[in-house]
Amino acid sequence: MKQLPPDTVRLLSSSQVIASVVNVVKELMENALDAGASSVDVKLENYGLDRIEVRDNGHGIKAEDAPVMAARHFTSKIGGQEDLERLETYGFRGEALGSLCAVGEVAVITKTEDEDVSTQYALNFTGEVVSQKPSHLGQGTTVSVRKLFQNLPVRRQYYSSSKKCRDELRRVQDLLLAYAIIKPGLRLTLVHDKVAVWQKARAADHRSALVATLGSGAVGNLLPCHHRQEQPEVYIPICHHS
């Protein structure tokens, strides 16, 4: 027996985190929501295998944080073990981006409110910034992933049939549908090969979000039901079929 080289270990572990196109979209969507985004555009090329792009209008990544934005175990969200008890975010950007770098070619364009122009960063296999240049995009962050699973032939082979590709696109749409319902104020679009597949405008409340996503006919057959739990505090508005 012999020890695997670090690059192989990194690739294998990352392929457990990023196992599909919908995994990529989920990780990048949650990063966008954690950044306070109210608008997210998801663009796929060849069902995401050639390119996945998620653009948000969130807070952006500060220039001083950019060198470690895809470094594993770097985060601004926790400082110690006790912070895990009161997390209000979806996860840690570095863990997701770091894993993405191991299974595709990643570029990040980002701008904070205080910066004059956005910057485009190219990342290598280990998540290090290898180049940067000014960009024209406004405030927020755009992450693009090209050639997904190019170094994992078995994973890539999974998408060899058109049916599996179509199923994956539907899973991406279902994922965005869920975010659209729980985040009424979020504007969302899904584009595949430059064709708009699905979109949802900002809504005033959960009922409006349900109408925008499920349609007035479906929502007309729902009855509001509220559940509150004190410890730990949870408040969930639930709709049941009448």
Side-chain angles (χ1 to χ4, degrees):
M1 295 181 69
K2 60 181 180 180
Q3 187 175 15
L4 289 170
D7 283 358
T8 303
V9 172
R10 178 176 176 80
L11 181 60
L12 291 173
S13 61
S14 294
S15 70
Q16 299 304 307
V17 177
I18 306 297
S20 63
V21 171
V22 73
N23 280 158
V24 177
V25 176
K26 178 179 183 294
E27 294 289 352
L28 296 180
M29 268 295 305
E30 292 179 350
N31 282 344
L33 295 176
D34 283 346
S38 61
S39 176
V40 181
D41 297 299
V42 178
K43 297 180 182 179
L44 306 179
E45 293 178 11
N46 187 26
Y47 300 97
L49 296 175
D50 289 352
R51 185 165 177 260
I52 301 169
E53 179 186 285
V54 177
R55 177 180 298 185
D56 70 57
N57 66 343
H59 303 315
I61 302 169
K62 295 177 182 177
E64 59 263 35
D65 292 335
V68 294
M69 63 182 165
R72 304 186 72 179
H73 316 311
F74 274 78
T75 181
S76 62
K77 296 173 181 175
I78 61 172
Q81 182 176 340
E82 65 279 0
D83 292 334
L84 293 173
E85 300 292 331
R86 46 181 178 272
L87 275 178
E88 295 182 353
T89 59
Y90 286 105
F92 312 127
R93 188 188 299 271
E95 297 299 313
L97 285 182
S99 292
L100 278 175
C101 288
V103 296
E105 297 178 0
V106 177
V108 178
I109 303 173
T110 190
K111 177 187 178 301
T112 64
E113 185 179 12
D114 297 332
E115 292 166 338
D116 295 329
V117 296
S118 58
T119 303
Q120 178 174 323
Y121 300 93
L123 308 178
N124 68 7
F125 177 81
T126 61
E128 297 172 306
V129 174
V130 292
S131 69
Q132 64 184 77
K133 61 183 180 181
S135 179
H136 66 283
L137 297 184
Q139 181 180 331
T141 301
T142 300
V143 179
S144 66
V145 186
R146 295 181 182 272
K147 301 177 182 177
L148 187 67
F149 303 137
Q150 63 177 339
N151 50 359
L152 286 165
V154 174
R155 190 79 74 191
R156 187 92 179 186
Q157 181 69 21
Y158 174 81
Y159 295 102
S160 59
S161 77
S162 57
K163 181 184 183 301
K164 285 181 177 175
C165 286
R166 291 193 301 271
D167 287 346
E168 192 73 1
L169 181 60
R170 187 164 58 249
R171 279 193 284 267
V172 170
Q173 186 172 339
D174 288 344
L175 174 74
L176 298 184
L177 189 76
Y179 288 119
I181 292 172
I182 65 171
K183 299 281 187 181
L186 181 66
R187 174 196 158 275
L188 268 172
T189 66
L190 173 61
V191 173
H192 177 243
D193 288 344
K194 299 183 179 179
V195 176
V197 175
W198 177 83
Q199 57 188 359
K200 176 249 174 192
R202 294 183 179 94
D205 50 36
H206 283 97
R207 182 178 177 81
S208 301
L210 284 166
V211 171
T213 52
L214 303 180
S216 56
V219 176
N221 291 320
L222 299 176
L223 293 173
C225 176
H226 302 285
H227 169 74
R228 183 181 293 276
Q229 178 179 314
E230 297 298 332
Q231 291 295 332
E233 185 178 353
V234 178
Y235 172 65
I236 308 174
I238 305 173
C239 292
H240 287 297
H241 285 283
S242 59

